[in-house]
Amino acid sequence: MRTIKQFLNRQVSAAIESCTGLRDSNANVITASKVEFGDYQANGVMPIAKQLKVNPRELANQVIEELRSFNLNIVERYEVAGPGFINIYLSDTELLRRANAIINGKLPIIPKSEISLRIAVDYSSPNLAKEMHVGHLRGTIIGDAIVRILEKQGHQVIRQNHVGDWGTQFGMLICYLQELQQTNGKEYPAALTDLERFYREAKSRFDSDRKFADRSRQAVVDLQSGDQESQQIWTQFIEESLNHCDEIYSKLNITLDRSHLDSESQYNDQLTGVIKKLSEEGLLSESEGAKCVFLPQFIGKDGSKLPVIVQKSDGGYLYSTTDIAAVHHKSHTLDIDRALYVVDARQSLHFQQVFAVSKEAKFATEKISLEHISYGTMMDSAGKPFKTRSGDTVKLIELLDESVSRAYTLVTEKNPDLADEERKVISEKVGIAAVKYADLSKNRTSDYIFDWATMLSFEGNTAPYLMYAYARIRSILAKANMGGPYETISELKSPLEHLLLTKLIQFPEIVDTVASDCFPNLLCNYLHELAGIFMRFYEECPILSADEDIRQSRLSLSNYSSLVLKQGLELLGIETLTQM
Ligand code: ARG
C-alpha cells in the first residue's frame, strides 16, 4: 500500500516522462509548505526544465495537462505557481472515503511497508561495569522509538542490546567482589545495590594497591580463558548489573528484555577467527607489536595512515574486533538487510572503520546496509555535559525519579481536587513521558540541552501538551457519549476540517520518513502540528452544539484525531491518559 505522497510522486513522474521522454525523474512531491500552496506541491519540474533548457512554467503547464488526462480521484485540481511549482489540491470526497475506511477498521492507520526487511537495531547497549547514567538515555529512548516504528511497518526487527560486559574493568570488579565475599560472607551482594559506589570503591582499591591491581589484571586473563571461579563471580556481577538495567527499562517503558542481549562476551570465541580471516584477506599488518588494518580512506591529521587495531601486543582484543565479529554474525547468521547502530556521535570514526573493514574483508554481505544512527551529547542548561553538583555522572534512575516528583507537583497545582492515587498515576506517566519526549523531539544529531522547565511545560512541543490534547479529545467524545462504533465523517464544511483531515491522512508518510532516516523528531513535530490544528478546529468549529449531522461528522473527525495522536505517541513509546 502506498501513501498519497508516494502515489503522487509516481504520477507526476509519469506525466513528466510523457512530456519530456525522461524516465524516472524526481517529481519531488512534498507536503505543501503553506496552506496557500494546496495540500502537496511538486517541485521537480524546475530542475528538469533547466536541464532541457525549456521554460519551466510552460513545462509545468504541459505536465498538468498530462496529469489531468490521468483523471486521478484523489486530486481536485492542479495549478502552476511561482517559477514552475505545481500545487496539488486533494479532493474532499476521496479524502473522506479513505478516512472512513480507516475509522471503520477497513484500512490500517499505518499500512504495512511493501517489502518486509530484516532489520537489526543495536541500541541502549550500556557498559555493565557501572550503573546506567544519563549518557545512556538518548540511545535507549531513540532506539526504542525507531524499533517500534519499524515493527509497526511490518519489518522483522531484531533488537540487540550490545552490552559491554567483557572489558578489562571486569577483572577489578571480580577481585573486589571476591574480597568482599571473603570478608563479609553472605552479605556481599548488598554491595551491588549501589553499583556506582561499588565501582568507585573497586577503582580506588585498584589505584592505591599494586597487588590488587596485579590480581585484577590476572583475573581478566582468567575470565577470558574460561576459569570457572572467575566466570562464576563475573556472572553474579553481570546479573546484578542487568537487574539495574531492567529496572530502568521498565520505568522508561522500553521494549528491551533479556532475550535481546547481544553481549560483547558472546563474541569471545569468534575473535581469533576474525584475526585469521583478516590475515587471509591480506589486510593485516603489525605496528608496534599490535595487529592492525590500514585502509587508505583513514588518514590522520599528519597525513599518516590511521590503524584499526584489532589485537593488542599482549594478545588482548578490542572493541572493534568484537564489532567486526558482530557484523559477521548479523550478515551471515541473521541474514540482516539493514543494521542500525544507535550510538553516541563520538563513536563515529569507530563505526566508519568497523564498517569499512567488515566490507573489505567480506564479513559484511553485499546486501547489508550498515548505518550509524548517531546522536549528540546531553548538556545541562549552561551548555556543559550533564553532571551532578559534585561532578559525578547522574544516575539515570535518580533523574527519572526527579522527573516524576516534579510532575507530581505540577499535576497537583493543576488538579488539586483529584484523588492522590490518581495524581500519582498521572505524574508517573507524565514525568517519564516528558523526559522521553524532550529527547525525541530534538534533532538527534545535535547536542541536546536538558531543561526541566521546558520539558514539563503544558505548552509547546512537549509531552504534557500532547498528552493533554489527547485527554481533551477523549473527554469531548465522552461528553458526547460517543464510545463507538463511530459513524463516518460525512462532510468537511470548513477549510480547517479539510486541513485537519489532510494532516491525519498524512500520518503514514511521516512514519515512512522516520523509518528510513531515523529522525523521530519529525514524528514529534508532526504530532505537535496535528494537535495544534485540532485545537484550532475545536475553537472555531462547534462540535457538541452543532446540528446532528455535522455534530456526528465532527465527532468522528475528533475520534480519528485521537486515534492518530495515540498511535503516534505509542510509536514514540509514550503512554496516553484519558484524564489529566
Ligand atoms: N557499550 C558501548 C558504550 O557504552 C556502546 C556499544 C554500542 N554498540 C556497538 N555495537 N558498539 O559506549
Side-chain angles (χ1 to χ4, degrees):
M1 163 95 195
R2 248 169 246 140
T3 61
I4 295 181
K5 193 194 271 176
Q6 285 164 340
F7 175 76
L8 290 175
N9 255 308
R10 292 199 193 186
Q11 299 304 320
V12 180
S13 179
I16 293 175
E17 184 180 343
S18 308
C19 299
T20 63
L22 289 177
R23 298 200 61 173
D24 296 329
S25 57
N26 180 6
N28 199 4
V29 173
I30 60 165
T31 312
S33 53
K34 288 190 183 153
V35 261
E36 301 89 272
F37 301 157
D39 299 308
Y40 289 88
Q41 57 187 81
N43 296 348
V45 170
M46 290 161 296
I48 291 166
K50 194 168 175 202
Q51 180 192 337
L52 298 175
K53 301 196 171 62
V54 297
N55 179 312
R57 278 187 68 95
E58 257 165 45
L59 179 59
N61 270 313
Q62 285 163 21
V63 171
I64 287 179
E65 261 331 292
E66 191 61 26
L67 283 166
R68 285 196 184 116
S69 76
F70 295 172
N71 279 323
L72 308 177
N73 290 337
I74 187 76
V75 180
E76 172 82 28
R77 64 193 169 90
Y78 307 91
E79 73 192 13
V80 181
F85 297 103
I86 297 176
N87 295 344
I88 303 171
Y89 294 80
L90 299 183
S91 129
D92 280 358
T93 322
E94 183 59 20
L95 277 177
L96 287 171
R97 196 189 62 75
R98 288 186 185 224
N100 288 326
I102 293 172
I103 295 169
N104 297 319
K106 294 202 185 84
L107 283 179
I109 300 191
I110 300 172
K112 296 278 177 244
S113 140
E114 285 178 332
I115 344 168
S116 164
L117 299 172
R118 287 179 64 77
I119 307 179
V121 187
D122 176 330
Y123 73 106
S124 190
S125 310
N127 287 332
L128 297 185
K130 291 185 176 183
E131 228 164 285
M132 283 179 82
H133 55 82
V134 295
H136 297 114
L137 188 62
R138 299 202 79 188
T140 305
I141 294 175
I142 296 170
D144 207 55
I146 292 173
V147 155
R148 286 169 190 262
I149 289 167
L150 293 170
E151 234 162 30
K152 192 76 200 171
Q153 284 203 319
H155 297 294
Q156 303 161 62
V157 176
I158 292 123
R159 293 167 173 75
Q160 296 187 314
N161 193 357
H162 192 76
V163 295
D165 62 348
W166 207 236
T168 44
Q169 296 145 317
F170 289 94
M172 167 184 102
L173 299 169
I174 289 173
C175 276
Y176 191 56
L177 200 56
Q178 240 165 354
E179 274 191 3
L180 289 183
Q181 206 163 1
Q182 278 153 11
T183 45
N184 299 356
K186 284 207 163 95
E187 297 306 312
Y188 75 92
L192 295 178
T193 51
D194 188 342
L195 219 56
E196 210 51 35
R197 207 171 110 202
F198 182 83
Y199 183 91
R200 246 184 288 127
E201 287 171 4
K203 180 82 168 68
S204 92
R205 283 286 282 127
F206 185 89
D207 291 338
S208 62
D209 183 337
R210 272 196 36 207
K211 279 198 189 135
F212 181 86
D214 288 342
R215 280 209 304 282
S216 298
R217 287 192 198 96
Q218 186 53 43
V220 185
V221 178
D222 291 348
L223 173 69
Q224 304 204 341
S225 56
D227 171 66
Q228 287 254 323
E229 194 191 330
S230 320
Q231 292 243 341
Q232 203 187 2
I233 300 179
W234 171 80
T235 310
Q236 280 171 1
F237 181 87
I238 296 299
E239 178 60 28
E240 266 317 299
S241 185
L242 286 172
N243 285 341
H244 284 272
C245 297
D246 288 342
E247 190 190 345
I248 301 260
Y249 295 152
S250 109
K251 252 202 163 68
L252 270 176
N253 188 20
I254 295 295
T255 56
L256 283 172
D257 64 41
R258 297 286 179 106
S259 71
H260 304 123
L261 284 175
D262 181 60
S263 328
E264 285 185 15
S265 60
Q266 290 174 22
Y267 292 97
N268 189 41
D269 296 346
Q270 295 160 40
L271 304 180
T272 46
V274 169
I275 306 296
K276 188 158 163 270
K277 177 105 192 313
L278 287 171
S279 154
E280 282 165 12
E281 294 285 333
L283 289 165
L284 218 54
S285 354
E286 287 235 354
S287 169
E288 293 164 35
K291 293 200 167 78
C292 311
V293 179
F294 288 96
L295 291 177
Q297 63 267 50
F298 300 111
I299 308 286
K301 285 206 184 88
D302 60 355
S304 63
K305 285 188 185 167
L306 282 180
V308 181
I309 308 175
V310 286
Q311 190 171 21
K312 292 185 287 189
S313 53
D314 67 3
Y317 299 103
L318 291 107
Y319 184 49
S320 312
T321 330
T322 312
D323 262 329
I324 294 170
V327 171
H328 181 81
H329 179 68
K330 289 183 223 272
S331 294
H332 297 280
T333 310
L334 300 177
D335 191 30
I336 295 297
D337 298 296
R338 246 185 118 184
L340 308 179
Y341 295 78
V342 187
V343 186
D344 194 312
R346 287 170 289 192
Q347 296 193 25
S348 139
L349 179 62
H350 165 77
F351 284 110
Q352 285 172 31
Q353 293 185 326
V354 165
F355 296 167
V357 172
S358 300
K359 282 181 195 151
E360 200 63 33
K362 303 189 189 65
F363 289 111
T365 44
E366 287 281 329
K367 75 165 178 182
I368 196 169
S369 156
L370 300 165
E371 306 169 35
H372 178 199
I373 309 301
S374 68
Y375 56 84
T377 309
M378 189 158 133
M379 305 292 199
D380 63 18
S381 33
K384 303 225 176 69
F386 206 83
K387 292 267 162 68
T388 60
R389 256 186 227 152
S390 59
D392 287 333
T393 47
V394 178
K395 278 193 200 181
L396 206 41
I397 203 86
E398 285 167 8
L399 183 98
L400 298 179
D401 288 345
E402 176 164 358
S403 188
V404 171
S405 93
R406 283 175 183 257
Y408 179 79
T409 313
L410 283 175
V411 171
T412 306
E413 269 168 31
K414 243 184 138 51
N415 245 334
D417 301 333
L418 222 56
D420 191 52
E421 260 321 291
E422 281 180 71
R423 273 183 280 146
K424 284 210 173 100
V425 174
I426 296 174
S427 41
E428 186 74 39
K429 296 248 153 77
V430 173
I432 297 298
V435 170
K436 291 179 88 168
Y437 191 87
D439 196 333
L440 290 165
S441 60
K442 310 288 181 319
N443 181 319
R444 60 174 166 76
T445 55
S446 333
D447 287 346
Y448 146 61
I449 297 194
F450 188 92
D451 179 52
W452 289 118
T454 0
M455 73 175 71
L456 283 162
S457 164
F458 278 80
E459 269 145 54
N461 191 7
T462 66
Y465 171 75
L466 289 177
M467 293 169 82
Y468 183 70
Y470 175 78
R472 184 84 175 269
I473 306 177
R474 295 313 307 177
S475 89
I476 298 166
L477 294 171
K479 252 193 218 133
N481 240 339
M482 201 176 161
Y486 293 99
E487 311 285 323
T488 44
I489 307 174
S490 50
E491 58 180 324
L492 301 174
K493 268 190 116 56
S494 84
L496 258 181
E497 283 169 280
H498 173 92
L499 185 67
L500 179 55
L501 190 62
T502 311
K503 193 80 185 168
L504 290 164
I505 288 278
Q506 285 167 342
F507 179 46
E509 294 172 5
I510 300 297
V511 173
D512 226 38
T513 314
V514 181
S516 50
D517 303 341
C518 302
F519 283 97
N521 60 311
L522 300 178
L523 177 54
C524 297
N525 291 348
Y526 167 85
L527 293 174
H528 179 232
E529 283 164 18
L530 172 64
I533 297 173
F534 180 84
M535 288 305 186
R536 278 170 56 204
F537 155 74
Y538 178 63
E539 274 154 32
E540 290 175 33
C541 306
I543 301 178
L544 295 176
S545 60
D547 289 346
E548 186 54 25
D549 281 2
I550 300 176
R551 178 184 139 101
Q552 271 304 330
S553 180
R554 288 186 176 158
L555 281 170
S556 289
L557 185 55
S558 307
N559 172 52
Y560 186 17
S561 307
S562 81
L563 290 179
V564 171
L565 267 181
K566 186 180 169 69
Q567 176 69 83
L569 287 168
E570 225 167 81
L571 291 177
L572 297 170
I574 290 175
E575 291 174 88
T576 43
L577 291 157
T578 43
Q579 189 191 21
M580 269 176 78

